[in-house]
């Protein structure tokens, strides 16, 4: 096996497909409705070209950067994705250890299948905590406090999920509910999640997620935590400006890996308008469709401070556990290093808008 390690994210995806039951692979891989945005998240990167600069000494490449004051060796961090035990019995603990081995940041999902205490004590990665605002505000508040007391460094509030997107593969497969490890003892569910049509996941979401989620909840969250709050799921200049006004410490351009609103823009196409609207007030991150180091390079050139990867890490975890998740992050880092060298960029600061050619530039 060690002689035949996958050489890119795609190969990890193929291994994950072979390793997982169909229901689990479809849950990880799938998107909403027609999956237009799912395809476009990846395809839009393919329409951006690179403008390499040559005859620059690239014998030393420094990919390090800072995010909210934390030094990280590369701008690639781990996106929050739920229920890692679907991919590997060690779940989020394995992913956290992989992130820690790469000295990068892991954003732990609210729908983690491992207890946050267990993840926190498994290694000393820098961790952020992703939050869903539940109808039961007390449940969300308890988890914020637990994360804060366990040394998580920021809250990533997901704002694109007042209701769950329609993921047809999950409906067809009667997908089970997501990771509930952290809700034990905090809440019970009135309905039998097994009854009724559709997926268990949908019925679970209907009971828990609060469709009244609004800017007032950002205020509320600020009132219960002193941690910096990043808003995840912003794809317009209008909302980016509101996020800054609301006191967000960062904006994450995301369409939830195309699992929520189909026909939302591919994130790399929305990044520049958000970067312009934020005008340097806070860091802008992006996720969705990143499968190559060149994709990361393009995101940085269009103004991202850092990127998050979701499915690629999940594929690594499914294929080879902690070692696979770590290898995926390492591969993406190596690919970014190569892209920087071949574009003549020796540091992240040297990656500029002039290094990419978008479709708009070509018109
Ligand atoms: C997600 N995502 C997500 N986001 C979030 O805020 N909370 C969550 O619990 C989850 N869960 C989740 C599960 C799975 C299986 C996937 C694929 C995604 C969205 C995630 O944070 C991120 O936005 C996308 O995964 C980024 O796109 P890529 O990298 O998967 O293409």
């Amino acid at each position: 096996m060690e002689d035949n390690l996958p050489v890119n994210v795609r190969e990890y995806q193929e291994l994950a497909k072979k390793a997982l039951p169909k229901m689990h692979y479809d849950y990880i891989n799938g998107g909403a409705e027609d999956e237009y945005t799912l395809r476009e998240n990846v395809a839009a990167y393919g329409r951006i070209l690179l403008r390499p600069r040559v005859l620059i000494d690239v014998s030393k490449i420094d990919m390090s950067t800072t995010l909210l004051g934390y030094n990280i060796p590369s701008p690639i961090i781990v996106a929050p994705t739920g229920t890692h035990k679907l991919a590997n019995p060690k779940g989020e603990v394995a992913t956290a250890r992989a992130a820690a081995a790469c000295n990068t940041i892991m954003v732990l999902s609210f729908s983690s299948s491992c207890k946050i205490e267990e993840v926190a004590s498994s290694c000393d990665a820098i961790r952020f905590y992703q939050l869903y605002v539940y109808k039961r505000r007390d449940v969300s508040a308890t988890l914020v406090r637990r994360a804060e007391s366990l040394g998580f460094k920021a809250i990533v509030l997901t704002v694109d999920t007042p209701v769950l997107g329609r993921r047809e593969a999950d409906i067809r497969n009667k997908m089970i509910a997501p990771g509930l490890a952290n809700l034990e003892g905090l809440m019970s569910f009135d309905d039998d999640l097994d009854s009724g049509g559709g997926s268990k996941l949908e019925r679970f979401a209907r009971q828990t997620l609060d469709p009244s989620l609004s800017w007032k909840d950002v205020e509320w969250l600020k009132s219960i935590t002193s941690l910096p709050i990043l808003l995840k799921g912003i794809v317009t200049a209008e909302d980016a400006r509101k996020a800054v006004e609301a006191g967000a410490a960062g904006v994450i351009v995301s369409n939830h890996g195309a699992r929520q609103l189909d026909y939302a823009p591919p994130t790399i196409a929305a990044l520049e308008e958000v970067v312009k609207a934020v005008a340097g007030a806070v860091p802008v991150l992006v996720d969705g469709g990143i499968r190559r180091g060149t994709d990361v390079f393009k995101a940085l050139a269009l103004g991202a401070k850092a990127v998050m990867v979701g499915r690629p890490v999940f594929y690594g975890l499914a294929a080879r556990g902690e070692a696979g998740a770590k290898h995926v992050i390492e591969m993406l880092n190596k690919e970014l290093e190569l892209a920087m060298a071949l574009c003549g960029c020796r540091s992240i600061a040297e990656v500029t808008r002039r290094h990419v050619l978008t479709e708009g530039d070509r018109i």
Side-chain angles (χ1 to χ4, degrees), residues 38 86 102 155 174 197 225 229 231 233 248 282 325 356:
L38 184 69
L86 292 179
C102 298
I155 301 294
K174 304 199 185 317
T225 181
I229 298 165
L231 299 189
V282 296
V356 290

Side-chain angles (χ1 to χ4, degrees), residues 53-173:
R53 300 297 308 276
V54 297
L55 297 175
I56 295 167
D57 176 354
V58 291
S59 44
K60 281 208 184 77
I61 304 284
D62 179 4
M63 297 192 293
S64 67
T65 191
T66 57
L67 188 60
L68 305 182
Y70 298 100
N71 296 321
I72 39 177
S74 117
I76 302 169
I77 73 170
V78 178
T81 54
T83 329
H84 290 194
K85 282 189 181 171
L86 292 179
N88 182 276
K90 297 216 172 75
E92 287 78 2
V93 163
T95 315
R97 290 173 61 89
C102 298
N103 291 311
T104 197
I105 296 170
M106 169 171 177
V107 186
L108 181 68
S109 165
F110 194 73
S111 305
S112 170
S113 49
C114 293
K115 285 228 160 76
I116 42 180
E117 287 76 8
E118 218 187 317
V119 177
S121 63
S122 67
C123 58
D124 48 349
I126 307 162
R127 280 176 296 268
F128 295 174
Y129 187 66
Q130 179 261 324
L131 184 74
Y132 283 128
V133 174
Y134 273 9
K135 287 175 190 155
R136 288 273 310 270
R137 290 292 187 282
D138 58 315
V139 171
S140 292
T142 301
L143 283 158
V144 168
R145 292 199 189 97
R146 261 162 79 183
E148 193 162 357
S149 72
L150 289 163
F152 284 71
K153 304 294 186 201
I155 301 294
V156 171
L157 174 65
T158 300
V159 294
D160 58 17
T161 311
V163 293
L164 194 75
R166 194 175 151 81
R167 305 163 193 173
E168 294 178 358
D170 291 345
I171 298 171
R172 217 175 289 120
N173 293 332

Side-chain angles (χ1 to χ4, degrees), residues 24 27-30 38 41-42 78-84 86 107-112 130-132 156-161 167 178 232 252-259 267 286-291 308-315:
H24 297 175
Y27 166 74
I28 294 163
N29 211 44
L38 184 69
N41 265 358
V42 172
V78 178
T81 54
T83 329
H84 290 194
L86 292 179
V107 186
L108 181 68
S109 165
F110 194 73
S111 305
S112 170
Q130 179 261 324
L131 184 74
Y132 283 128
V156 171
L157 174 65
T158 300
V159 294
D160 58 17
T161 311
R167 305 163 193 173
K232 171 175 183 279
I252 305 176
V253 177
S254 174
N255 52 33
H256 213 112
R259 298 159 78 79
T267 45
V286 67
D287 74 17
I290 291 168
R291 302 292 180 266
M308 304 202 302
V309 287
R311 291 181 185 84
V313 174
F314 228 128
Y315 298 145

Side-chain angles (χ1 to χ4, degrees), residues 176-245:
I176 53 167
L180 303 174
N182 290 299
L183 300 178
E184 263 167 38
L186 279 182
M187 67 187 297
S188 54
F189 305 98
D190 7 303
D191 284 325
D192 172 8
L193 286 173
D194 285 315
S195 63
S199 71
K200 220 176 187 180
L201 180 62
E202 276 189 314
R203 288 190 293 281
F204 171 78
R206 265 199 303 276
Q207 283 181 33
T208 51
L209 294 175
D210 192 346
S212 80
L213 177 69
S214 76
W215 290 100
K216 279 194 198 130
D217 293 300
V218 179
E219 283 298 304
W220 164 77
L221 183 56
K222 276 171 67 184
S223 76
I224 63 159
T225 181
S226 55
L227 291 177
I229 298 165
L230 294 101
L231 299 189
K232 171 175 183 279
I234 287 186
V235 292
T236 62
E238 296 90 313
D239 283 341
R241 276 191 286 270
K242 286 183 104 164
V244 173
E245 276 163 30

